[in-house]
Amino acid sequence: MKLLPHRSNPSLHHNNQPFHFKFHLNRTELLLIMRNLRDLGLHLIFLSIFLFATTYTCLGVGNVTVVCSQKERLALLKFKGSVKDASGMLSSWVGNDCCQWERIQCDSLTGTVESLQLGGDHYWGGADYLVSNEVNSSLAELRHLKYLDLSGNNFHGNRIPEFIGSFKQLSYLDLSGSSLSLSFNFVNLINMLPSLSELHLSGCGLDKTFLSSPHLNISTLSNIRHLDLSSNSIEGIIPAFFTNMSSLKVLYLSENMLNSSVPTMPGLLELDLSYNKFKHIEHLGIWRHCHLKQLSALENPLQIEMTDSQQNISECSRHALERLDLGGCLNGTIPEALGRLTNLMHLDLTFSSLTGPIPKSLGRLRYLEELYLSNNRLTGPIPTFIGNLSRIWLSYNHLNGSIPESFGNLAALTDLDLDVNQLTGPIPTSIGRLVSLQTFTISSNLLNGTIPVSIGLLAKLQYLDISHNPLEGVVSEAHFANLSMLEFLNASSNTKLTFNVSHKWIPPFKLVHLDLSSCNIANGFPQWLRNQRKLEWLVLSNATVSGPLPQWLQKMPVIHILDLSHNKLSGSLTNLPNGENVSGHIGGAILLLVNNIFNESIPKSLCRRTDLEFLDLSRNRLIGKIPKCLQKLKGLSTMIFSSNLLSGVIPSYIALDHSSLQWLKLNGNNFIGELPRELGNLRHLRVLDVGDNNLFGNIPHWIGENLTNLIVLRLHRNNFSGEIPESVCRMSKLQILDVGYNNLTGIIPHCLRELNAMVKGAEKWYNGTSDSNENVIQAMKGVDLEYTTILDIVYNMDLSSNKLVGEIPVELTALSMLVGLNLSNNHLSGRIPDNIGNMLALFSLDLSGNELMGTIPPSMAALTFLSHLNLSHNKLSGRIPTGNQLQTLTDPSIFAGNEGLCGPPLSKNCSNQEVSTTTTTTSQKKKYKAADEATKVWLLYLDIVCGFAVGFWGVIGVLLFKKQWRQMLFLFAEETVDKIYVAFMVRVAKMKRGRDTA
């Protein structure tokens, strides 16, 4: 065949006319071409048909669509009508095509329902679940069902429906936590499902009787590949039939009560034995299951250390184990033998009692990707790791030495957690080579030196925590150069670290969490924060920040947790962030501005923060009144305005809408007037502190009647008058009662012994930390002390500097939990209660400045914790007791102003007369013996004489005047003597006969 160009007019080409060819063919060539065209046509026909079918099937092209059958749709609707669906799980079950409903999947060709996914979360405490007395039998119409999930619903303990056994194609069945009873037909159900390959029966109340039935069809069981029997009551020995399940690959037996050796199951790949009762590590068969790839045995009470065993290891020439989870159950050292699990990719030994070093053999596991050894007591240096590690968690141990430079070679590392150890030295510069690193935490160590600039190369870093170390130097823009993904930054408690960046610096990141507390921030309030509009947590406390709040801060979105305490910030509070709430938090917000020099009044803009739960503006110079609009903060649980210059009366509206308020501290201001009765509406109030103000009036009765949950009541240093109301005794949870420095009169109520918390103690109620701003000031040891972290174990009663009269009630000595008792500077009289030694917890006792008389009770020597005592300026007399703790109290001022006292530590010696009349011995058993000895002797003689006189003349006198009584007495005496004589003679005669017989 020749292909030649056809000669034509050249001008046609310039007119875009086609270029023609002229064919010259012979007969043979023509026939060959025609045959090839015919074959090509057939191929095109078949290709067209295939493309059409494929397009129709896969893309749904055409007018015909596959819908579910009418019978199956009605069956599903009938089931829907039989259940209570409060959460709307089946709300999409409307319309004609049930294949389009949620939780249902159909066959793409036939339209038959193949999958029914009705799993709820009732068993796990959720709200999405179905409720019914039974599983409606209408589901039996779904004859082609392959996947059925009824887990987590509430079927009220009814029997599992028998129609499930008719689903011959069923390969997946999940009845976990469905409240269905398997007690009658569990075995029959299993035998009727020949296609079943995955079975979930978690939380179904199964015990070993269900798994030991002789009717179990082994051939049916042999098809099951995945079996979940977790959260049941299977105890003791693992059922033997598991070894006959030849297809079994995955077996979950967690949260049972198994404790025997695990049998070998050659085909098993994944085994979960967590939360059982295994006590011996060898029962888990780590070294016997050669083909097992995943073994989890978390939180078992293993009592024997995990040691090497050459015999066990030799059972497998090669171990396939890739994942080993033994957290919460080990003790002893980590065995070197773990290094022989050469395929290991995941190792979890967290929350155990492991000691000793990390074996070097773990560092040689080349496939290891995840290593979790946190929360143990491991010691020694961190070994060198090789391989493909992506996560290393070594926090909460006692590891020492430096951070290895070799970490820089772990290119795949994403998480490195070294928190709370004893690591020293600088942060290695090789950290900058970890290009995949996302989390780097080294807080609470002993790391020093400067932060390497190479840390700014970690482009994928999201979480950085270097807090609580003695790091030093300057942090600049270069340290953050490429940290575009950083969201969390905590550098707190590095007191020698200074953040010094330019005012014009624009960071590459958008932080969510920033904590620079107890660092040094140069150049005033950080200007670069104006671009951090995703901030939810900002803590700059004790960071040497000074000056007013910048105006741009007001336009920032609301910051959920904001702490600017312990700085030198000044001016108004109007520039606090007040933009939109981008975080999405509804409540639980915290605003701490403690210990600054803010002045002016509390701004009304603060009332827009309806998300606030904790508000502390204490230790500033705020003036004016409390804004009425603060009642809008209905979610507020803590309101602390202490130590300011606020004035006026305490407004009643402060309690109108704050039903959740638990802490109310208004102490140290200039408030006047009486306590508003509306405070009695704060039924959940635990701490009420209005001390150090100018309040007056009586202590209201409603305090004890309404505020029954009160733990701290502090009315210290006001002008309250009247008596202490007995309603105070109803506050059974009260631990601190401070009404000192007022004008209270009357006696100390005897009912105070009914303050049960001060008698028996109370449960822990306060979870504050050393950084917390929740505190209570108490006069203890003669000075004002501020209690924070141990507030819940402080029991104190301060009634000092009032005008109280009468004796100290002996009932007060029943308050055995008190650590402080201050009754000083009143007009109390009488004696100190003898059994004051019962208050064994006392370490501060002040009874000075009263009119107490008599001797000091020797029982006071039993107060072994007593470290502060003041009995000065009373009318006490006699020798000062000695012994035990009293021997350590050698300051004479303790007893000054008591002219009648003598003996150490006073310089005044006790005279002979004083010794004979008032001296007591050091032993508590002999108290008053020396002083009362003569009196007791004369009383003894008098008792003898009186007893003789009464006894003698009481009998003889009557007989002298009553003749008839005399005759009866003599007759009774004669008869008694005769009876005694006869009995004696009979006894003698018997003895003689016995001797003659012998």
Side-chain angles (χ1 to χ4, degrees), residues 343-357:
N343 290 310
L344 206 60
M345 302 171 63
H346 171 105
L347 178 61
D348 183 356
L349 305 179
T350 57
F351 292 96
S352 293
S353 300
L354 295 171
T355 57

Side-chain angles (χ1 to χ4, degrees), residues 8 15 68 76 145 169 216 222 246 304 433 510 529 574 627 806:
S8 59
N15 296 324
C68 69
L76 290 170
L145 206 60
Q169 300 180 44
L216 280 174
S222 63
S246 56
I304 299 179
R433 299 202 303 266
K510 297 293 184 183
L529 289 178
T574 54

Side-chain angles (χ1 to χ4, degrees), residues 466-730:
I466 57 174
S467 62
H468 296 273
N469 283 287
L471 296 170
E472 56 189 29
V474 177
V475 178
S476 64
E477 296 93 328
H479 290 87
F480 305 103
N482 295 320
L483 305 186
S484 59
M485 300 184 68
L486 193 65
E487 295 182 351
F488 181 103
L489 174 59
N490 188 352
S492 62
S493 298
N494 285 282
T495 55
K496 297 180 180 180
L497 201 62
T498 300
F499 280 76
N500 190 355
V501 295
S502 169
H503 283 287
K504 299 180 180 180
W505 180 54
I506 300 178
F509 46 71
K510 297 293 184 183
L511 291 177
V512 176
H513 180 121
L514 175 62
D515 190 345
L516 300 181
S517 58
S518 297
C519 292
N520 301 302
I521 298 178
N523 302 324
F525 199 92
Q527 295 296 313
W528 57 271
L529 289 178
R530 66 192 310 166
N531 298 306
Q532 303 301 304
R533 304 187 65 82
K534 292 185 177 181
L535 271 177
E536 298 180 12
W537 186 302
L538 176 60
V539 180
L540 302 180
S541 63
N542 192 29
T544 66
V545 183
S546 60
L549 297 175
Q551 291 185 354
W552 54 260
L553 186 63
Q554 183 179 7
K555 299 179 181 179
M556 288 280 289
V558 167
I559 300 175
H560 192 63
I561 309 293
L562 178 59
D563 184 359
L564 304 178
S565 303
H566 307 290
N567 286 292
K568 296 181 179 179
L569 295 168
S570 58
S572 172
L573 296 178
T574 54
N575 286 334
L576 287 170
N578 204 20
E580 70 274 18
N581 188 349
V582 296
S583 66
H585 295 288
I586 299 176
I590 297 175
L591 177 59
L592 306 177
L593 303 176
V594 185
N595 195 19
N596 281 283
I597 46 179
F598 290 115
N599 49 32
E600 300 188 16
S601 59
I602 300 174
K604 293 183 179 180
S605 58
L606 195 60
C607 303
R608 302 175 191 170
R609 293 293 309 277
T610 55
D611 60 329
L612 277 176
E613 182 177 331
F614 195 113
L615 176 60
D616 191 347
L617 307 180
S618 61
R619 302 184 191 179
N620 281 284
R621 300 175 184 176
L622 299 173
I623 61 175
K625 299 180 179 180
I626 298 176
K628 184 176 182 180
C629 62
L630 282 184
Q631 64 182 327
K632 297 178 181 178
L633 309 185
K634 298 181 180 181
L636 211 59
S637 66
T638 299
M639 181 188 295
I640 303 177
F641 294 161
S642 309
S643 302
N644 279 285
L645 302 173
L646 300 172
S647 58
V649 298
I650 296 177
S652 60
Y653 50 76
I654 202 172
L656 293 180
D657 293 310
H658 293 147
S659 59
S660 59
L661 202 63
Q662 297 184 25
W663 281 69
L664 178 59
K665 294 189 60 181
L666 305 176
N667 57 294
N669 283 284
N670 297 319
F671 290 115
I672 60 174
E674 298 184 356
L675 287 176
R677 185 175 183 84
E678 287 76 8
L679 291 180
N681 298 329
L682 303 176
R683 305 275 180 173
H684 299 287
L685 200 63
R686 290 184 168 189
V687 175
L688 176 60
D689 187 352
V690 294
D692 304 292
N693 281 287
N694 297 309
L695 302 172
F696 53 80
N698 293 336
I699 299 177
H701 287 273
W702 53 257
I703 283 187
E705 295 170 353
N706 296 353
L707 305 182
T708 54
N709 286 309
L710 211 59
I711 296 174
V712 176
L713 175 59
R714 186 172 183 270
L715 308 179
H716 191 87
R717 206 179 291 273
N718 280 282
N719 296 311
F720 288 107
S721 57
E723 298 182 351
I724 299 174
E726 291 196 355
S727 63
V728 170
C729 303
R730 301 181 187 178

